[in-house]
Structures are given as structure tokens and as C-alpha cells.
Amino acid sequence: MLTVVIIKSDAASLFSQKEMSLHDFIVGTVSLENGESFEVELLNPQHAPFYKVTYTPTLEGPFDTFLLQRFKELRKQKHLDKASHDVFVKWVKASCSEEISFSGQANLPVKATKPVKKTTTTSERQTPENENASVVKEKVRPSKKRKQLPNVINIVKGRIRDCPRFHPSRKVIIGVVSVLLLVGVAVVGGVTIAQFTQSKTEAKEAKKASFDQLLADKSYEKMYTDYPKQFWAWEESCVKELDSKQLVAAYEAVPELSIAYDLAFVEKAYDKVVKFYETKAAEMEVTTTRQDFAAYSYLQLGNLTTAEKTATSETSTVFYEALGWAYLAKGDVKKAEEIQVKAASQTLDQQIKDYQLVHTTLQEVEKQLKRKELSTNLRKELEQSKQDLTEQLEILKKKPREESEEV
């Protein structure tokens, strides 16, 4: 169900709380007509914010109708993809399952008022047509207990006596009363059957399939709607196991952006991961794990500065080691040394030191080569040393291959 959070409003005093269900917000605003305005934020079924909007009930009609129209416009303007549009519409319709009357007012219970007893004068005595209306009215009286039978007979007799054109026999009176009793029995029986049917339906719904059974049946949509927490825990396990096949099947049944994002990372579509992160982050739940996916994707695309900024406090040392090697490959030894503190890799630390030593030696050789009084043989030796050191630096920029990687 969707949740509405009131951020700012000139009519906030009309609500006892700032956070409520979408349906409660619609009921509370649908009758407003003084130009009140609301700035609200919608939370998805996982209670994460996904849409913020300013709404004026008087001008824009019921809030659910307004939302559906807005989503349609965003889709038409290509600010919202089809999958997101369909999910948002589904959320709104599911949250507004309670009926709203066509007049715009919610169907709220009305407090019953005590009927005022009216004295009937001779001039107001009922005609035969009104007499029939009175009899029908007696049919819907709530109390049909047998002990009230004498009162019903007296009422019918009184109504008939008031009509000068009709003088029924006792048999007719008893017949009318019998009809009324039958109607009462039918009403009570109907209510009893309805309650029994409802109880039976509720009992059937209570026996819903377990999560494991739904998973075995590959009923991903039911898993998502009936067991949302277990569904996302299962989805995360698929990501850890790099099970793209299950993720594709889940996304086809449940077109959630979060699943599409995770799937892109599993399939190593790093450019797609970055695009999702930069343009769709507000429409999905960005956990620390998903933020790390973005950081690693930036790293793979060579955007090292952004990768470092995107990383979280929970990012693993493996990421920082890879980032340190990337900086070293670019020849940025100072930055590689800074990252090495977080990576805590002895191999990276040693290679940075070797790189610095060779680089310092190369600088000294280049300095000696600038001397004019060098002999021919010495200059040749220095030139050869410079070439060897330069080649060694290029080797030290690369991460050494593991034994298992060697041919």
C-alpha cells in the first residue's frame, strides 16, 4: 500500500498526523473547496520515497485521479518508462481499493438520527396508495422477533381502520402479517448466509501457499505481494550467486527497477548500472550494496574519482585494492599510496614502493644524461639504463598475475 507524507501545507491542521495511507489522504482532501494546497511525498510499499508533488484538491480533483493523470503525462513526455508507469498505476489502484462515491465524497458511516414522532391529523390520513407505502415500510423494520407480533397486528389494523373504503377480514390481516414475517426471515437468512460465505472465503485465504511452495512453482509475483521481505532476501541471494537466469524471470513477473539494476550489475553491464544510478535512483531502493555496485561500475569505466566518492563506509577492502591498482596504472603513485591505507594490501604496498624506487633512479639517470662532459661509453650505458628503468616502470604499473593465472 502507498503512504503519503505531508511535507508542507496550509491545511495541515486538518490531519492528526503527517504520514498516512493514500486512501486516508484522499478521504481527508476530497471534500476541500477553499483552495488548500499540499506538498506531499509518496512512499512505495517498501516505505521508500519515490515521488514528490504539489497538489491542490479544488483545482485537480481527487488525489488518486490526479496521480494517475500525472503518471500518464510523465509517460507521454518520456520522463517515465513503461515499466515504472505500470508499477506506479498498480500501486495507486491497489491503495484505493475502498470505494469513493461519484460525488467526490468518501463513503463514510453516517450517524443515525433519532426519528421525530409526528402526529397525524384527519386531513393527513393516508390514501390507499400511501397505505401500501406504509406496509412496505414495515417490511424493513430491523426487529422481527416473534414477541412483537401483537404490535404489528395492531399497527396494520389501525392503518386499515383509517381507510374508510376498505374493511378487511381477520384472515386478510393475518395474511399481511405472515408476509411481513416471511420477509423478516428472508432478510435474517440472507445476512446469515452472507456471513457464512465471508467466513469461508477468509478461511480459504488464510491457507495461502508458503513462500517455498511459490518459489518452487516460480510464482514470483505472488512471492512479491504475499512475502515482500522474503522476496527481497531471496533476490539478494540471487545477486550474490550471480544467478542472472532467476533474476530475469523475476523481473519479467515483477518489473521493479531495483531488480533491473541488480541484473545489470550481475551481467557486467557497468554503463547501464551507472545510467540507472544517475537517473533512476529516486525510483528504487538504493541500499549500501547497490551503492557499492555503482562505485565498482564507475571504477570499471575508469572514472576513479567518482568511484571513490560513491563508495560507502561498508565498502570492502577488495574495492579499494582494485582502486589502488587503477591509480597506479595511471602513474598516480601519490593517490595509489593514499588508497592503499584503506586497501591494506601488502602486494600493492610493496609494488608502490618498488615503483617509487625505480622512478627515483630514472630521474637520477635523466639528470646525469644532461651533463655535457660525459664520455661516449658512459652516455651509452646511461641511455641503456634509462630504457631499462622505463620498461620496469611500465611493468610495475600493472598488478602482478596470481600463480593460478600464469600460463
Side-chain angles (χ1 to χ4, degrees):
M1 301 294 285
L2 297 187
T3 305
V4 177
V5 178
I6 299 177
I7 300 173
K8 183 179 179 183
S9 173
D10 52 7
S13 60
L14 298 176
F15 297 89
S16 59
Q17 54 189 10
K18 289 187 176 181
E19 184 173 323
M20 67 202 75
S21 69
L22 175 59
H23 182 268
D24 290 345
F25 181 72
I26 294 172
V27 170
T29 58
V30 75
S31 61
L32 299 179
E33 52 186 24
N34 295 324
E36 294 87 344
S37 178
F38 296 84
E39 182 181 351
V40 301
E41 185 170 41
L42 293 178
L43 309 184
N44 67 17
Q46 285 74 46
H47 216 70
F50 73 94
Y51 187 62
K52 185 184 292 185
V53 70
T54 299
Y55 165 61
T56 306
T58 307
L59 301 177
E60 294 159 336
F63 190 51
D64 55 337
T65 305
F66 166 70
L67 279 179
L68 294 176
Q69 184 62 34
R70 286 288 296 142
F71 293 152
K72 184 177 180 182
E73 291 173 359
L74 290 173
R75 173 77 182 113
K76 191 177 294 184
Q77 297 167 5
K78 297 185 178 180
H79 294 313
L80 196 65
D81 58 56
K82 185 178 185 303
S84 302
H85 171 270
D86 292 346
V87 170
F88 292 173
V89 170
K90 181 179 178 182
W91 285 346
V92 172
K93 291 184 177 179
S95 300
C96 299
S97 58
E98 295 188 37
E99 183 182 358
I100 304 295
S101 67
F102 290 104
S103 64
Q105 297 289 339
N107 289 336
L108 299 176
V110 180
K111 185 176 180 181
T113 56
K114 187 175 181 181
V116 179
K117 189 172 181 181
K118 183 177 179 182
T119 304
T120 306
T121 62
T122 305
S123 60
E124 295 174 336
R125 287 182 179 177
Q126 298 174 339
T127 62
E129 290 82 3
N130 291 333
E131 175 190 343
N132 292 335
S134 300
V135 174
V136 173
K137 187 174 182 181
E138 291 295 332
K139 294 179 183 180
V140 297
R141 288 196 175 194
S143 179
K144 299 297 180 182
K145 294 182 181 179
R146 187 171 294 277
K147 65 181 182 179
Q148 292 180 332
L149 182 60
N151 293 333
V152 174
I153 294 175
N154 291 335
I155 291 172
V156 174
K157 283 183 176 181
R159 297 291 185 185
I160 295 174
R161 271 199 307 268
D162 290 337
C163 180
R165 300 179 182 178
F166 185 64
H167 301 281
S169 65
R170 180 178 179 81
K171 184 176 181 180
V172 173
I173 295 173
I174 293 175
V176 173
V177 172
S178 299
V179 171
L180 294 176
L181 290 175
L182 286 174
V183 171
V185 170
V187 171
V188 173
V191 172
T192 303
I193 292 172
Q195 290 177 344
F196 175 76
T197 304
Q198 183 179 1
S199 299
K200 190 173 181 180
T201 303
E202 291 174 352
K204 186 176 180 181
E205 291 177 351
K207 295 179 181 179
K208 63 181 180 181
S210 66
F211 181 83
D212 292 337
Q213 183 61 51
L214 293 173
L215 178 58
D217 296 339
K218 297 182 179 180
S219 300
Y220 301 110
E221 187 174 3
K222 288 288 289 180
M223 289 162 57
Y224 173 74
T225 55
D226 293 355
Y227 304 95
K229 289 184 179 179
Q230 286 178 264
F231 174 84
W232 287 112
W234 167 81
E235 191 268 354
E236 185 177 355
S237 69
C238 290
V239 175
K240 291 179 180 178
E241 295 170 7
L242 304 180
D243 191 347
S244 59
K245 186 176 180 181
Q246 288 251 52
L247 288 172
V248 169
Y251 181 70
E252 288 176 350
V254 184
E256 279 277 0
L257 283 176
S258 297
I259 302 176
Y261 179 85
D262 294 343
L263 180 60
F265 182 79
V266 169
E267 293 182 338
K268 298 182 180 180
Y270 301 120
D271 55 339
K272 188 179 292 186
V273 173
V274 167
K275 185 177 180 180
F276 269 125
Y277 181 76
E278 292 179 346
T279 62
K280 303 289 185 180
E283 300 172 24
M284 62 184 183
E285 185 180 358
V286 182
T287 61
T288 53
T289 301
R290 292 194 175 106
Q291 190 165 337
D292 284 343
F293 288 170
Y296 188 78
S297 297
Y298 280 121
L299 172 59
Q300 293 300 310
L301 295 174
N303 194 340
L304 307 186
T305 304
T306 306
E308 185 180 355
K309 289 180 179 179
T310 308
T312 68
S313 59
E314 298 180 17
T315 303
S316 68
T317 56
V318 175
F319 166 81
Y320 286 107
E321 182 178 357
L323 185 60
W325 286 113
Y327 274 120
L328 185 59
K330 286 190 172 185
D332 192 343
V333 184
K334 184 178 179 181
K335 195 65 181 177
E337 191 173 16
E338 179 184 321
I339 295 297
Q340 150 57 21
V341 177
K342 295 181 180 180
S345 169
Q346 292 183 354
T347 304
L348 176 60
D349 183 52
Q350 184 60 51
Q351 193 143 324
I352 290 173
K353 290 177 181 178
D354 292 344
Y355 183 95
Q356 289 173 326
L357 178 60
V358 173
H359 185 262
T360 302
T361 305
L362 178 61
Q363 287 180 324
E364 183 60 32
V365 170
E366 290 175 339
K367 182 179 178 182
Q368 291 298 324
L369 282 171
K370 291 179 181 180
R371 293 172 57 188
K372 296 181 180 181
E373 66 274 13
L374 290 176
S375 64
T376 303
N377 291 335
L378 182 56
R379 184 174 294 278
K380 285 183 179 180
E381 290 179 5
L382 289 173
E383 289 286 356
Q384 185 61 48
S385 296
K386 178 181 177 181
Q387 182 178 345
D388 293 342
L389 290 169
T390 301
E391 292 175 356
Q392 188 63 29
L393 277 181
E394 291 303 316
I395 294 173
L396 290 171
K397 284 182 179 180
K398 300 176 182 178
K399 180 181 178 181
R401 299 178 66 179
E402 303 290 342
E403 292 184 4
S404 60
E405 298 176 329
E406 294 179 0
V407 179

